[in-house]
Amino acid sequence: MVRILKVLPLLLLLGCGLPIKNHRSLSGEAPAGKVAVRFDDSVPSNQRALVDKDLEILSNAGFVDQSEANILDIPDFSNRSLKQWLETRFSYLVGENYDTSGRVERSLQYQPFLSEVIGPFSSTTIMRNAGGAVYLAGKEEGILYSLLVGGFRLFITTPRVGIFQIGEGLFTTILVPGTKADDDINSYLRLATDFHEARHDDGSGDNAAFPHEKCPSGDYEGQYACDKSTDGPYPVGRVIVQKFRNQCTWCTSAQLANLDLQIADLNGRVLSWAVYNDDQAERINP
Amino acid sequence: MKKRHVVLGVVGIVALYAAYLVGHYYGEESVTPSGSTERMIVSPTDVALPAPRVEAPKSIPSMAPPTVKRVVEHSPTPQPSAVFSTPEFHELTQRAFAKLPRMAEIRKKGRRDFHFAPPELTEVADELGAIGDSLERDPRLVPAGQDFLRRCALAEDVMQAARAVCLRDLKHWTANSPLDLSVFPDVVKRIADSLPPTP
Ligand SMILES: [Zn+2]
């Protein structure tokens, strides 16, 4: 018995722990490995655990419906394709107290462009693509910036650098009423947010970081809360929510209504004249 | 004897876990996805020697260790919602109508960041789910349900996303009778048509 007590913590430490109880893959497909993301020390441990759980669910999403894969420019919605897509973009996570002002490395001459205005990070902010924001700022100012993340100095030479700042809002604002932060349905919504922000890693020229467009009308009129790309961040997030929603045989009617409201909101943000844009990420070669 | 069984059991668990890890890491072998290509489009004129994209730390990386805490799963088991009498259903729809998300009210609360949907958008989800369940169970409630869904889809002060969900459900529950769609705004119809079918 003493040996068991000695070994059990070790097993838990190794991560053999608890299976995903509710999320059930319908495809019968083998799980892909988990997306390898690096956490900066500024991310609290409870937030890490939740992100970790989200990525575990993604690794075994098991989507059956393969339609709309073109939005992500992937061949299919297999666990492997989803993992590869996110892993290419979603590399580093920093916490809300992390200073994203960046260190000036040197002057650079970038081509002129129109950038997205990115506001200050407040406690209710859910997540932002800090790497993309710093890249756009550097491009506008003609400065090469770097950020120190978890002991690594990252030179921001592309929006694809993949540095994301997460706040408490990711775990409190995105919360289906009557559920807990670690309930699977909230993982679905957080994963959709991850994919949304990861799309801000992409694009080139005026479309670098896939900036949002000012909404000409509707609920968000005048806000940079719409997309001019049919494969922009909002459609990308929407397709992820919808895949989980369509397979959620264990969701209550209220939870399905919640996901449908989210899907409707995201669909309403795609401008009627939106077009498909190249998702190749620009990179400077200083 | 008991002790031996316990030890054997633990060894078995460790062996299973080792097998899992082998499969896990084998499965992580990856190739570059088609959409991941990056290209250089900017040529800087400054020729000062740049550092590589990632400069490894001189000391041991201070990157946090992998998360070891596992989240305990306790998602609630879906509970069937209550069966409503006609007056109770009327009360439900009244409550739902009052809870529909309205941008004017949301802005009054000082909410300014709409990069993601305001949480108020989904506060009515419980009621919408209960209404759907009720109509499914008791066809006598359908006319009252249609009335609520029509009022919701037409309410100009309600967020378009909620109006679209209502319109989709209205179309579902009026499938056998004519529905004049011309009274609904194009944007609401477009969003409604893009939604998954009514559950
Ligand atoms: Zn965005």
Side-chain angles (χ1 to χ4, degrees):
Chain A
M1 203 58 201
V2 174
R3 283 191 194 188
I4 271 200
L5 292 175
K6 277 184 183 171
V7 172
L8 268 181
L10 176 68
L11 291 174
L12 290 172
L13 195 72
L14 287 169
C16 75
L18 302 160
I20 303 295
K21 188 174 125 192
N22 277 335
H23 180 79
R24 290 184 288 273
S25 165
L26 299 185
S27 68
E29 176 190 1
K34 238 182 341 188
V35 170
V37 63
R38 288 175 188 272
F39 292 95
D40 184 73
D41 291 343
S42 54
V43 180
S45 59
N46 61 328
Q47 295 183 4
R48 289 183 200 199
L50 288 167
V51 170
D52 199 48
K53 184 211 161 175
D54 299 345
L55 296 175
E56 193 168 325
I57 284 183
L58 181 73
S59 74
N60 195 24
F63 294 139
V64 174
D65 172 20
Q66 303 298 326
S67 64
E68 299 193 293
N70 62 319
I71 291 177
L72 293 176
D73 196 17
I74 51 178
D76 52 44
F77 279 98
S78 65
N79 297 337
R80 190 182 176 87
S81 294
L82 287 166
K83 183 205 171 197
Q84 287 177 344
W85 192 93
L86 195 62
E87 197 158 69
T88 305
R89 294 161 176 84
F90 200 70
S91 307
Y92 303 91
L93 287 187
V94 300
E96 61 188 299
N97 295 323
Y98 179 87
D99 178 11
T100 57
S101 52
R103 187 174 86 182
V104 174
E105 292 298 331
R106 62 193 184 87
S107 297
L108 272 180
Q109 189 176 327
Y110 293 78
Q111 288 175 350
F113 76 113
L114 295 169
S115 75
E116 176 185 23
V117 178
I118 297 179
F121 192 69
S122 72
S123 61
T124 53
T125 299
I126 292 162
M127 181 189 288
R128 74 167 181 162
N129 188 322
V134 173
Y135 176 79
L136 291 180
K139 192 173 174 182
E140 191 158 77
E141 298 161 8
I143 291 171
L144 172 64
Y145 283 105
S146 72
L147 289 168
L148 188 65
V149 181
F152 287 86
R153 181 147 299 280
L154 307 172
F155 291 82
I156 316 299
T157 56
T158 170
R160 189 60 79 77
V161 66
I163 304 169
F164 300 82
Q165 189 169 31
I166 59 174
E168 193 60 30
L170 181 62
F171 311 96
T172 55
T173 306
I174 299 184
L175 200 61
V176 173
T179 64
K180 299 183 182 73
D182 58 356
D183 284 339
D184 290 352
I185 190 165
N186 294 314
S187 290
Y188 303 159
L189 294 173
R190 286 195 296 268
L191 282 166
T193 306
D194 297 348
F195 274 80
H196 169 113
E197 288 302 325
R199 179 53 105 200
H200 285 303
D201 272 20
D202 298 337
S204 58
D206 284 354
N207 198 42
F210 271 73
H212 294 306
E213 192 76 8
K214 197 182 266 189
C215 305
S217 59
D219 296 322
Y220 305 117
E221 183 176 346
Q223 300 266 328
Y224 284 92
C226 284
D227 269 350
K228 59 186 175 184
S229 305
T230 54
D231 55 338
Y234 289 121
V236 163
R238 192 270 305 163
V239 79
I240 296 299
V241 180
Q242 196 161 329
K243 295 287 170 194
F244 279 117
R245 181 262 186 226
N246 287 347
Q247 289 196 194
C248 195
T249 53
W250 53 93
C251 280
T252 63
S253 300
Q255 288 171 344
L256 290 176
N258 190 302
L259 297 177
D260 286 346
L261 287 164
Q262 299 279 0
I263 292 166
D265 180 77
L266 294 167
N267 271 334
R269 290 167 182 258
V270 184
L271 298 170
S272 57
W273 49 269
V275 295
Y276 190 87
N277 272 299
D278 188 352
D279 69 352
Q280 290 187 95
E282 74 177 31
R283 174 187 284 277
I284 56 165
N285 188 18
Chain B
M1 199 60 183
K2 256 186 178 178
K3 196 172 171 185
R4 175 177 289 184
H5 286 161
V6 167
V7 172
L8 282 174
V10 169
V11 168
I13 291 169
V14 171
L16 280 172
Y17 184 69
Y20 162 78
L21 283 181
V22 169
H24 182 78
Y25 289 110
Y26 180 77
E28 274 188 350
E29 290 290 323
S30 63
V31 293
T32 306
S34 60
S36 69
T37 326
E38 295 173 6
R39 63 180 174 183
M40 297 167 192
I41 64 155
V42 183
S43 301
T45 53
D46 188 336
V47 292
L49 192 64
R53 178 175 173 243
V54 177
E55 188 180 87
K58 291 182 179 68
S59 58
I60 296 168
S62 62
M63 204 60 75
T67 302
V68 293
K69 181 190 170 218
R70 288 295 162 138
V71 180
V72 178
E73 307 295 333
H74 42 69
S75 294
T77 306
Q79 298 294 320
S81 53
V83 177
F84 293 101
S85 65
T86 304
E88 285 170 338
F89 185 73
H90 180 70
E91 199 178 301
L92 171 67
T93 58
Q94 296 276 70
R95 190 167 68 244
F97 196 79
K99 281 180 80 174
L100 285 168
R102 292 168 169 86
M103 275 311 269
E105 288 174 16
I106 294 168
R107 283 183 203 277
K108 260 190 225 164
K109 291 181 184 172
R111 212 172 275 289
R112 294 283 179 271
D113 180 7
F114 297 107
H115 185 208
F116 295 108
E120 290 85 353
L121 171 71
T122 56
E123 283 175 359
V124 72
D126 279 357
E127 283 76 12
L128 291 181
I131 288 169
D133 284 348
S134 303
L135 300 183
E136 194 72 52
R137 287 186 199 144
D138 188 350
R140 290 173 302 173
L141 298 174
V142 168
Q146 288 173 337
D147 180 57
F148 161 76
L149 293 168
R150 184 177 288 104
R151 284 195 301 133
C152 163
L154 286 171
E156 286 178 9
D157 59 338
V158 169
M159 288 183 72
Q160 289 172 351
R163 296 174 69 182
V165 170
C166 288
L167 179 57
R168 175 202 63 178
D169 293 349
L170 178 63
K171 287 165 88 170
H172 175 82
W173 290 108
T174 52
N176 298 323
S177 49
L179 175 65
D180 179 11
L181 287 172
S182 68
V183 296
F184 302 102
D186 287 343
V187 64
V188 174
K189 284 189 277 192
R190 178 175 69 84
I191 301 170
D193 289 342
S194 70
L195 290 171
T198 296

